[in-house]
Amino acid sequence: MLQILTAAISLGLLWAIVTIGVYITYRILTIADLTVEGSIVMGAAIAAISITRGINPYVAIILAFFGGLGAGLITGLLHTKLKIPSLLSGILTMIALYSINLRIMGRANISLLQVDTAYTVFEEMGLRSTVSVILLGLIIVAGIVGVLYWFFGTEIGCAIRATGNNPQMVRAQGINTNTTIILGLMISNGLVATAGALIAQSQRFADVQMGIGSIVIGLASVIIGEVLFGRRGFASRLVSLVLGAIVYRVIIAMVLKLGMPANDLKLFTAITVAIALSLPVFRSYLKPLKKSIKWGK
């Protein structure tokens, strides 16, 4: 059981970066961005091909981040400059990234079994692979949370946050909302690609299909974090996203331990997200019922 929990925590920390990226578009910009399913693979592809060609694993992660920035830029330009709806813009970029990722890797998957990864430094200290992932994951996630907390407190960061809440007010202040939307999409996909690079090195391979369902996993983690740990200040929200991703992975590990077939995980996740998103509707139905029970007493 301890091994299952540590494995779930290690994977949850890496997926927490995806969760933060999804949060930026879904909650801050109020955009459903499907680019995520392509940019996470792009991050893995760039990291894998870079490492196999002798580039330092940490440099490979940085290159993956810039690749994700490019993916977000394309989606942002399609949406803001060509006036294509945000959902369709993300779908178009996601489809294009499938071919681009194949071009980057040269084949459908790349093995990283025989090369050093970002976790090798910790493994050489005598730590187990799972503990190495947890340690590096904690360092990177803490750094990302700290940088984002600082950034979204700056003038540009506040403009991005305000764009999702009230774009008319932002434009009235003389701020170009197209620029803030593009920046938000770039940051989001840059983080997702970074997560892809870390996940690929953790599982020791990159595959062109590994991004399928990643947007749903990110949404599930966002919702779990908000429901369990609340929506107070911005710093606490960022921490709740990390905890939500870890809790989601622990739930998945427990469900698998209880005997659920692995093939049903996507269905389980989709149902979980659908129920969580429908909670306000269920509550609206329950309010009249509660009032009638109260008056009946």
Side-chain angles (χ1 to χ4, degrees):
M1 182 61 70
L2 181 60
Q3 289 181 348
I4 293 173
L5 286 175
T6 53
I9 292 170
S10 65
L11 196 55
L13 282 169
L14 302 186
W15 278 91
I17 305 172
V18 178
T19 303
I20 295 172
V22 171
Y23 174 81
I24 292 172
T25 53
Y26 181 67
R27 287 297 191 208
I28 295 180
L29 291 178
T30 62
I31 291 175
D33 180 29
L34 289 178
T35 312
V36 168
E37 301 214 352
S39 57
I40 189 172
V41 182
M42 171 172 271
I46 292 174
I49 198 68
S50 299
I51 292 171
T52 54
R53 294 188 177 181
I55 295 176
N56 184 281
Y58 294 100
V59 175
I61 295 172
I62 296 172
L63 293 176
F65 172 73
F66 282 103
L69 292 181
L73 175 63
I74 293 171
T75 301
L77 292 175
L78 289 174
H79 175 51
T80 59
K81 302 301 181 182
L82 300 183
K83 305 303 178 185
I84 300 174
S86 58
L87 181 62
L88 186 54
S89 297
I91 292 173
L92 291 173
T93 307
M94 177 187 68
I95 294 171
L97 285 176
Y98 184 87
S99 297
I100 293 171
N101 292 332
L102 279 174
R103 289 273 186 177
I104 293 171
M105 292 194 292
R107 51 188 183 275
N109 54 71
I110 296 176
S111 173
L112 297 175
L113 290 175
Q114 305 299 325
V115 296
D116 290 342
T117 66
Y119 310 104
T120 303
V121 175
F122 300 96
E123 292 170 357
E124 289 176 347
M125 296 178 184
L127 299 176
R128 291 188 295 110
S129 58
T130 305
V131 177
S132 300
V133 174
I134 292 174
L135 184 57
L136 182 60
L138 280 172
I139 294 171
I140 293 178
V141 168
I144 288 173
V145 168
V147 170
L148 288 180
Y149 179 72
W150 165 80
F151 174 76
F152 281 105
T154 63
E155 186 176 343
I156 298 174
C158 289
I160 294 174
R161 293 170 66 181
T163 299
N165 289 328
N166 194 334
Q168 291 81 11
M169 182 272 290
V170 173
R171 284 192 288 268
Q173 299 296 320
I175 299 171
N176 189 335
T177 54
N178 287 344
T179 302
T180 55
I181 289 172
I182 291 173
L183 279 174
L185 287 167
M186 289 177 66
I187 294 169
S188 170
N189 285 282
L191 291 174
V192 171
T194 301
L198 290 167
I199 292 169
Q201 294 182 60
S202 171
Q203 63 189 16
R204 293 284 183 166
F205 72 90
D207 189 272
V208 76
Q209 301 284 354
M210 63 182 286
I212 296 176
S214 55
I215 182 67
V216 179
I217 295 172
L219 285 173
S221 301
V222 169
I223 293 165
I224 290 171
E226 291 178 342
V227 170
L228 294 182
F229 306 104
R231 305 182 185 181
R232 294 176 291 277
F234 188 70
S236 63
R237 286 194 182 192
L238 292 174
V239 174
S240 73
L241 297 175
V242 177
L243 297 176
I246 294 173
V247 170
Y248 169 78
R249 282 296 162 184
V250 171
I251 292 172
I252 292 298
M254 294 299 102
V255 168
L256 288 173
K257 182 70 175 176
L258 292 174
M260 173 180 278
N263 291 337
D264 294 337
L265 281 180
K266 303 288 187 190
L267 176 62
F268 175 78
T269 302
I271 293 173
T272 303
V273 173
I275 292 172
L277 291 174
S278 303
L279 284 177
V281 177
F282 293 141
R283 287 172 182 167
S284 66
Y285 288 148
L286 289 174
K287 281 183 181 179
L289 181 61
K290 287 181 180 179
K291 287 182 179 179
S292 62
I293 294 173
K294 183 178 179 181
W295 284 107
K297 289 182 179 180

